[in-house]
């Protein structure tokens, strides 16, 4: 296949309700959608870089620059036979994995469209349905949080993740546990703590959490290893893992027991699959994280989650939890038992709604020869 043209499009999608983490609050998602043409076929990808560089160093604006100036031009006119060859065309830039993943994942979709197979099949996925959990942001009050959890449980979701931050942690977890003694519950700190909070983090152990996600620094594994020695709650690494090498190093020093794999953070499907395969061999559970994606990114996450090692519920939930109208058809729906069916039709398995994208468009750029 020969890559002919690449389009970048920024769309603005207002969230149904604001999403708050330890690093900030999001009300409007600015999302960069990638479209790639080759041999008369189209593939879609989504850049998961957020509005601001607060989760990691990337933002939609840095990704736009890196993709338009360095990455997209390096792919034009390139011939490939399999998507795993794509990243070798990129210049040797450091980091910017979300920018890289936006293009790499689009090429995987393009390839599976051309072969007329599902993206799940192209990736080697075997699961027919995937277990789903929800990530619930910081709420204005504990009552609001409990109500929200109640609603998600009755929708069928299999596990609840709540965001915590210093000052809004132990008593919140206690309140949730008291109301829901038996649910699968976990917390995500997004790097808001340090080893000086050891006693506090130890106090979470009595609440039988499935895991605590990324309690310490975004680029740390050493302190996480020390923390894991001192707490019984399994640590799940998110921000710290950008590659299979990172996973190998972290696991070798017991910096955690579970890994959250995010397509953007690790640079795309090939890298995500490498991390998955490595963890699968070592019996380390993985699950697929989310970055408040539109339907395109969500569909990529679903395909990835069909790999056999994604045994824990991912942060992949229905379109309607986030959007009044998504940009794919049908919208992503969750079964009453908290699973999503993995599509079997070609590519992402969802139709991209170009009309809706056009309505939401803020800027666009075409790169071709
Ligand atoms: O840490 O998992 C995270 C959203 C934005 C940035 C970081 C994270 C999240 C989530 C949301 O938890 C997951 C979702 O998309 O539902
Ligand atoms: Mg996280």
């Amino acid at each position: 296949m020969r890559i002919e043209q690449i389009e970048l499009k920024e769309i603005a999608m207002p969230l149904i309700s604001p999403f708050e983490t330890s690093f900030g609050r999001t009300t409007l998602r600015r999302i960069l959608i990638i479209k790639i043409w080759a041999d008369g076929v189209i593939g879609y990808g989504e850049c998961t870089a957020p509005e601001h560089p607060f989760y990691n160093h990337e933002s939609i604006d840095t990704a736009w620059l890196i993709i338009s100036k360095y990455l997209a031009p390096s792919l034009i006119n390139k011939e490939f036979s399999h998507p795993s060859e794509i990243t070798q065309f990129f210049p040797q830039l450091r980091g910017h994995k979300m920018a890289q993943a936006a293009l790499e994942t689009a090429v995987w979709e393009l390839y599976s469209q051309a072969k007329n197979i599902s993206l799940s099949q192209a990736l080697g996925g075997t699961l027919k349905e995937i277990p789903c959990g929800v990530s619930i942001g910081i709420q204005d009050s504990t009552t609001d949080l409990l109500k929200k959890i109640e609603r998600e449980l009755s929708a069928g979701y299999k596990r609840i993740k709540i965001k915590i931050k210093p000052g809004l942690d132990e008593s919140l977890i206690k309140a949730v546990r008291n109301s829901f003694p038996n649910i699968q519950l976990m917390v995500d700190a997004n790097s808001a703590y340090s080893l000086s909070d050891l006693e506090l983090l130890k106090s979470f152990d009595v609440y039988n959490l499935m895991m605590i996600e990324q309690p310490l620094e975004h680029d740390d594994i050493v302190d996480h290893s020390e923390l894991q020695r001192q707490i019984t709650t399994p640590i799940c690494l998110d921000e710290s893992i950008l590659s299979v090498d990172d996973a190998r190093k972290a696991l070798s020093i017991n910096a955690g027991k579970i890994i959250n794999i995010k397509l953007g953070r690790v640079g795309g499907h090939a890298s995500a699959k490498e991390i998955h395969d490595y963890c699968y061999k070592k019996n380390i559970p993985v699950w697929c994280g989310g970055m408040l994606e539109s339907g395109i990114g969500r569909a990529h996450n679903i395909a990835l989650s069909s790999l056999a090692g994604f045994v824990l519920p991912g942060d992949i939930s229905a379109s309607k939890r986030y959007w009044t109208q998504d940009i794919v058809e049908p919208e992503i729906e969750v079964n009453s038992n908290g699973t999503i069916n993995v599509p079997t039709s070609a590519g992402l398995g969802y139709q991209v709604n170009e009309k809706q994208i056009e309505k939401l468009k803020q800027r666009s750029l075409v790169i071709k020869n």
Side-chain angles (χ1 to χ4, degrees):
M1 304 188 77
R2 194 179 61 87
I3 295 177
E4 290 144 13
Q5 180 171 301
I6 299 175
E7 183 183 57
L8 293 73
K9 222 175 244 183
E10 176 178 339
I11 57 172
M13 292 180 79
L15 286 165
I16 282 179
S17 52
F19 190 86
E20 189 172 330
T21 68
S22 62
F23 59 76
R25 181 179 254 244
T26 309
T27 51
L28 176 88
R29 287 285 286 116
R30 293 173 56 203
I31 298 178
L32 168 51
I33 300 295
I34 297 289
K35 194 171 168 183
I36 304 188
W37 286 258
D39 303 2
V41 182
I42 290 171
Y44 287 94
E46 171 167 344
C47 182
T48 64
E51 296 66 40
H52 305 288
F54 301 159
Y55 164 80
N56 65 357
H57 65 280
E58 296 189 79
S59 73
I60 179 170
D61 297 303
T62 69
W64 187 283
L65 172 73
I66 295 292
I67 292 171
S68 59
K69 184 167 176 178
Y70 300 99
L71 301 177
S74 76
L75 295 186
I76 299 298
N77 280 332
K78 290 297 188 317
E79 302 256 1
F80 70 97
S81 53
H82 191 265
S84 57
E85 299 155 28
I86 282 302
T87 51
Q88 78 193 16
F89 299 126
F90 292 157
Q92 284 293 312
L93 55 87
R94 305 276 191 214
H96 299 281
K97 302 251 181 174
M98 288 172 168
Q100 298 187 43
L103 293 167
E104 197 257 12
T105 54
V107 172
W108 275 92
E109 211 249 328
L110 178 70
Y111 172 82
S112 42
Q113 288 284 1
K115 295 272 177 208
N116 198 26
I117 58 173
S118 69
L119 178 56
S120 162
Q121 193 183 339
L123 291 167
T126 52
L127 307 179
K128 304 282 178 251
E129 43 184 78
I130 57 161
C132 303
V134 287
S135 173
I136 303 179
I138 292 167
Q139 304 296 306
D140 291 338
S141 72
T142 306
T143 318
D144 287 353
L145 177 62
L146 296 175
K147 266 193 216 144
K148 224 165 185 169
I149 293 173
E150 183 65 56
R151 199 178 329 137
E152 305 298 7
L153 290 171
S154 47
Y157 289 103
K158 290 178 185 294
R159 74 97 169 99
I160 301 291
K161 160 169 141 183
I162 61 170
K163 294 286 189 180
I164 55 166
K165 65 177 183 182
L168 213 60
D169 41 44
E170 200 269 340
S171 57
L172 194 66
I173 300 169
K174 185 178 189 172
V176 173
R177 247 315 165 226
N178 282 342
S179 299
F180 306 98
N182 298 316
I183 62 167
Q184 298 208 72
L185 179 67
M186 60 172 289
V187 296
D188 187 356
N190 288 107
S191 301
Y193 298 91
S194 71
L195 276 184
S196 63
D197 300 306
L198 183 61
E199 290 312 311
L200 172 71
L201 296 167
K202 270 186 187 167
S203 76
F204 299 174
D205 278 345
V206 297
Y207 298 113
N208 188 29
L209 300 174
M210 289 175 84
M211 66 194 93
I212 175 169
E213 189 176 342
Q214 196 73 30
L216 309 181
E217 277 294 296
H218 69 99
D219 55 357
D220 166 77
I221 54 171
V222 174
D223 284 359
H224 278 98
S225 167
E226 176 58 25
L227 177 63
Q228 185 68 91
R229 242 189 302 282
Q230 309 240 19
I231 64 175
T232 56
T233 305
I235 291 174
C236 170
L237 295 172
D238 174 355
E239 283 88 334
S240 296
I241 306 297
L242 309 186
S243 65
V244 69
D245 253 11
D246 287 349
R248 175 180 58 77
K249 291 170 189 171
L251 294 172
S252 76
I253 60 167
N254 300 310
K257 298 179 176 166
I258 299 169
I259 292 178
N260 162 338
I261 302 181
K262 286 183 181 166
L263 274 173
R265 196 193 69 228
V266 306
H269 281 298
S271 169
K273 207 169 135 57
E274 277 183 344
I275 298 171
H276 162 274
D277 293 352
Y278 184 80
C279 291
Y280 193 62
K281 271 195 224 115
K282 292 185 104 52
N283 244 324
I284 298 292
V286 302
W287 54 277
C288 180
M291 292 293 293
L292 312 176
E293 289 93 341
S294 80
I296 293 176
R298 234 161 257 276
H300 275 285
N301 291 342
I302 293 167
L304 174 66
S305 300
S306 70
L307 298 178
F310 283 84
V311 292
L312 296 171
D315 278 345
I316 309 177
S317 51
S319 301
K320 66 172 185 209
R321 286 191 67 244
Y322 292 97
W323 319 116
T324 45
Q325 188 180 353
D326 205 342
I327 56 171
V328 298
E329 286 174 329
E331 299 205 343
I332 283 129
E333 284 179 14
V334 170
N335 303 319
S336 56
N337 67 342
T339 63
I340 293 178
N341 302 331
V342 178
T344 51
S345 53
L348 291 177
Y350 295 86
Q351 206 59 42
V352 174
N353 186 341
E354 282 285 355
K355 262 204 202 120
Q356 183 64 8
I357 289 182
E358 210 44 43
K359 268 196 224 157
L360 303 171
K361 186 178 86 176
Q362 307 298 306
R363 56 173 164 163
S364 65
L365 177 69
V366 171
I367 293 169
K368 58 182 177 187
N369 216 0

